[in-house]
């Protein structure tokens, strides 16, 4: 008698409830071998902290009064229990020096650490300044994890072998009140408006912008056209389409736009995708830079001028924007003057094509974007032409299937920003494949795989820079009758490029079931 072969039993779902401390493959911030002093800027617990930022004072230690070759901010935090990912920002003298978000903890607790080079803020750091941190959190019977955060600042004295770096000599925060958080959560059509007075002899002016979407805008890269989301409210889709850009305006005039990175919070898509490797840009968030030098001819008259940060057009939730200006002055003249700026910054032409019907459809979005501004400045070096520009292509294909229970997104953004001989290039890639089976808040299952990539390079205008960061992760999360019955993931990250002193650096991390293997 012949026995029919038996099919192999499907492996049982694994429930991972504890994972190791969060990790990333980023290169460490280098530390120069000069005398240094470290001060504790903040040690604080954020529990029920919405609308209750930490407000203190940061002053340089007398024994390390400067000049400094480097200033490093260090963050160490811990949490234990159950908690959402939370957005956090940090300001010194009203200038936003850090934007981050928190990993989600486990019952036994996590601790994570990272450093941030804040040397560019040295003009503010030579005197006592308000030190503000905002991390809105909720602690109750369900979400039990407060965030304990300690921030230190280390000042490294300059010497002949390690001089103070050449950099902007004036920092102009966009925050209206240096004693309060300087960001704003903005809906569609509302801008962040700041009044600034630029030093009369400013010869170069750059804007540094931080931008993150919230709510439905956390997942803007997977959003569908608004009319589709409204037609099928039961599907829980977010509208607004998939193209986003953040702009800057000077005295009401467009001055530049940037293409934001598609950052995913540590609870995004499915939480186990990001345990223990956090998504690119989630923990160490990079700002975007726009050169405003072509507008100096009108900005250096000693009067207040308006700078606006503009959230993406057509958003369906809020974007949190903030930032600073950096001015480099010309000691050889009392005032830098110049021609009125020439600007070519049209509205983005977003092309959307749809195939299929209803919730079984494919949506392709394409944008070819370019802009530039220019002027002539009168400086101590004579008549100097200045120009800023940006150009990129954006392609996103989002497919819905099985009445939108399955969604696949493939996005690629590649381009560069130009500024007086310097080119900052970028190549962003994202692929996400998500299957959701949702009955209600207590009965659901999510399976997903995500690829994230960010390649950055700089040529001209000083030391070249190069980095490539990629993450591939898969896993899922689910509950049955409110009980966690599925929580597992595996991932790997590869960072390759030049570190902050130009040395080659490469690191790869592989994880399974919440632990590095």
């Amino acid at each position: 008698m012949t026995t029919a072969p038996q099919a192999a039993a499907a492996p049982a779902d694994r429930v991972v409830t504890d994972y190791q401390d969060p990790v990333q493959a980023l290169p460490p911030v280098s530390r120069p071998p000069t005398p240094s002093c470290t001060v504790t800027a903040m040690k604080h617990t954020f529990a029920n902290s919405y609308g209750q930022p930490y407000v203190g004072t940061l002053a340089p230690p007398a024994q390390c009064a400067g000049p400094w070759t480097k200033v490093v901010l260090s963050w160490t935090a811990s949490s234990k229990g159950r908690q959402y990912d939370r957005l956090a920002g940090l300001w010194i003298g009203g200038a936003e020096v850090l934007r981050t978000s928190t990993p989600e903890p486990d019952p036994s607790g996590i601790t994570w650490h990272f450093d941030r080079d804040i040397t560019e803020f040295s003009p503010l750091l030579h005197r006592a300044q308000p030190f503000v941190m905002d991390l809105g959190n909720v602690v109750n019977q369900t979400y039990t994890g407060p965030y304990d955060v300690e921030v230190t600042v280390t000042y490294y004295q300059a010497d002949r072998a390690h001089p103070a770096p050449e950099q902007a000599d004036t920092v102009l925060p966009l925050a209206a009140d240096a004693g309060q958080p300087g960001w704003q959560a903005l809906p569609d059509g509302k801008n962040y408006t700041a009044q600034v007075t630029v030093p009369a002899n400013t010869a170069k002016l750059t804007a540094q912008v931080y931008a993150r979407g919230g709510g439905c805008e956390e997942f803007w890269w997977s959003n569908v056209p608004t009319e589709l989301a409204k037609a099928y409210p039961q599907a829980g889709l977010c509208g607004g389409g998939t193209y986003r850009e953040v702009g800057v305006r000077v005295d009401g005039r467009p001055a530049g736009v940037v293409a934001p990175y598609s950052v995913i919070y540590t609870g995004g898509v499915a939480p186990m995708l990001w345990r223990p490797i956090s998504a690119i840009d989630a923990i160490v968030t990079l700002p975007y830079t726009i050169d405003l030098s072509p507008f100096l001819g009108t900005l250096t008259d000693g009067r207040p001028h308006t700078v606006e940060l503009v959230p993406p057009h057509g958003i369906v939730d809020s974007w949190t924007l903030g930032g600073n200006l950096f001015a480099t002055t010309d000691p050889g003249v009392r005032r830098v003057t110049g021609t009125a700026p020439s600007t070519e910054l049209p509205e983005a032409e977003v092309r959307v094509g749809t195939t299929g019907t209803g919730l079984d459809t494919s949506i392709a979005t394409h944008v070819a974007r370019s802009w530039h501004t220019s002027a002539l400045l009168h400086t101590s070096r004579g008549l100097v032409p200045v120009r800023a520009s940006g150009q990129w292509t954006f392609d996103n294909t989002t497919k819905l299937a099985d009445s939108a229970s399955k969604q696949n997104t493939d996005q690629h953004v590649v381009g560069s920003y130009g500024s007086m001989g310097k080119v900052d290039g970028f190549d962003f890639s994202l692929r996400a494949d998500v299957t959701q089976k949702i009955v209600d808040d207590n009965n659901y299952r999510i399976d997903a795989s995500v690829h994230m990539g960010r390649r950055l390079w700089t040529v001209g205008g000083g030391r070249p820079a190069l980095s490539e960061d990629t993450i591939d992760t898969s896993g899922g999360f689910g509950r049955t009758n409110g009980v966690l019955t599925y929580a597992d993931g595996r991932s790997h990250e590869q960072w390759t490029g030049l570190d902050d002193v130009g040395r080659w650096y490469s690191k790869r991390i592989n994880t399974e079931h919440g632990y590095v293997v």
Side-chain angles (χ1 to χ4, degrees), residues 87-89 91 96 99-100 134 181-187 192 209-215 217 246 265 285 288 309-312 315 317-323:
L87 187 65
W91 295 263
E96 185 166 354
R99 178 78 64 95
T100 186
D134 198 12
W183 55 18
Q184 295 180 24
L186 302 166
Y192 181 126
V209 180
Y210 283 95
R212 281 276 198 105
E217 290 297 313
V246 176
Y265 286 69
T285 298
Y288 309 96
L309 307 182
V310 184
I315 56 178
D317 227 316
S318 65
W319 276 65
T320 301
L321 305 185

Side-chain angles (χ1 to χ4, degrees), residues 92-428:
I92 299 174
E96 185 166 354
V97 302
L98 175 67
R99 178 78 64 95
T100 186
S101 53
T102 61
E104 294 187 340
D106 60 22
S108 63
I110 59 170
T111 298
W112 74 100
H113 173 92
F114 64 90
D115 295 332
R116 184 81 167 139
D117 184 349
I118 62 169
T119 312
E120 63 183 338
F121 295 96
S122 293
L124 289 176
L125 303 177
H126 286 281
R127 60 186 183 277
Q129 297 281 6
F131 183 97
V132 178
M133 182 174 162
D134 198 12
L135 194 167
N137 192 24
V138 173
V139 174
N140 54 31
Q141 290 183 340
T142 302
Y143 299 102
T144 58
Y147 285 104
D148 298 310
V149 184
E150 180 176 2
V151 175
T152 64
V153 178
T154 303
Y155 306 79
Y156 292 87
Q157 291 287 98
D159 59 22
R160 182 172 297 180
H162 305 87
E166 294 184 8
Q167 60 183 45
D169 48 74
T170 303
V171 181
L172 302 170
L174 296 183
D177 184 349
Q180 295 293 325
W183 55 18
Q184 295 180 24
L186 302 166
D188 187 29
K190 185 177 180 181
N191 299 344
Y192 181 126
T193 302
Q195 295 288 325
V196 296
T197 301
V198 175
N201 62 338
T202 299
K204 181 179 181 181
L205 184 69
T206 59
Q208 187 183 75
V209 180
Y210 283 95
R212 281 276 198 105
C216 266
E217 290 297 313
E218 288 184 32
F219 310 100
W220 56 266
W221 44 270
S222 65
N223 288 8
V224 301
T226 298
E227 56 271 20
L228 179 61
K230 288 183 177 180
Y232 300 94
Q234 74 280 5
L237 298 169
C238 291
T242 58
Y243 181 71
R244 300 292 184 272
E245 65 180 32
V246 176
V248 175
R249 298 172 66 91
V250 174
D251 290 333
R253 188 169 185 176
V257 292
V258 295
Y261 184 73
S262 48
V263 60
I264 301 175
Y265 286 69
T266 59
V269 183
M272 284 304 296
L273 297 180
W274 317 114
R275 300 182 180 183
I277 297 176
S278 301
I280 295 172
D281 214 55
I283 306 300
V284 181
T285 298
L286 299 184
Y288 309 96
T289 299
I290 295 177
D291 193 338
L292 303 182
S293 300
F295 292 81
L296 286 173
T298 58
L299 292 177
T300 56
D301 58 4
R303 300 174 182 175
H305 290 266
T306 299
V307 174
E308 296 173 86
L309 307 182
V310 184
H313 176 68
I315 56 178
V316 294
D317 227 316
S318 65
W319 276 65
T320 301
L321 305 185
N324 319 289
L325 303 184
F326 292 85
T328 302
T329 56
D330 182 349
V333 294
R334 294 184 61 184
R335 181 186 174 189
V336 171
T337 59
T339 63
S342 170
T343 63
E344 185 176 334
L345 213 163
E347 292 291 325
E349 183 180 349
V350 182
R351 299 180 179 180
V352 180
T354 301
T355 58
T357 59
L359 293 176
D360 292 86
T361 187
S362 176
I363 306 146
T365 304
H366 173 78
V367 179
R369 191 70 163 115
S370 66
W371 61 268
H372 72 262
T373 63
S374 61
L376 292 173
L377 300 183
H378 295 273
T379 73
S380 63
R381 296 187 293 124
L383 201 59
V384 177
V386 289
R387 177 183 170 92
S389 64
Q391 50 276 318
W392 57 85
T393 58
F394 172 96
D395 287 285
N396 178 296
T397 300
T398 293
K399 299 178 181 179
L400 305 178
D402 292 350
S403 298
S405 64
K406 294 182 178 181
Q407 183 168 0
N408 174 274
T409 295
D410 191 343
Q411 180 171 289
H412 190 205
V413 191
V414 59
S416 64
Y417 305 105
S419 171
M420 292 181 281
K422 178 184 177 184
V423 176
D424 293 307
F426 59 93
D427 188 333
F428 302 155

Side-chain angles (χ1 to χ4, degrees), residues 31-102:
R31 306 284 185 142
T34 66
S36 64
C37 306
T38 299
V39 299
T40 298
M42 182 197 77
K43 196 171 185 178
H44 187 70
T45 298
F46 293 88
N48 289 299
S49 52
Y50 273 99
Q52 299 182 34
Y54 172 87
V55 180
T57 302
L58 176 68
Q63 61 272 38
C64 290
W68 305 303
T69 184
K70 199 164 197 175
V71 183
V72 179
L73 182 149
S74 296
W75 162 296
T76 303
S78 61
S79 186
K80 180 179 180 179
R82 181 181 177 189
Q83 193 52 263
Y84 278 129
D85 42 26
R86 305 293 186 180
L87 187 65
L90 194 155
W91 295 263
I92 299 174
E96 185 166 354
V97 302
L98 175 67
R99 178 78 64 95
T100 186
S101 53
T102 61

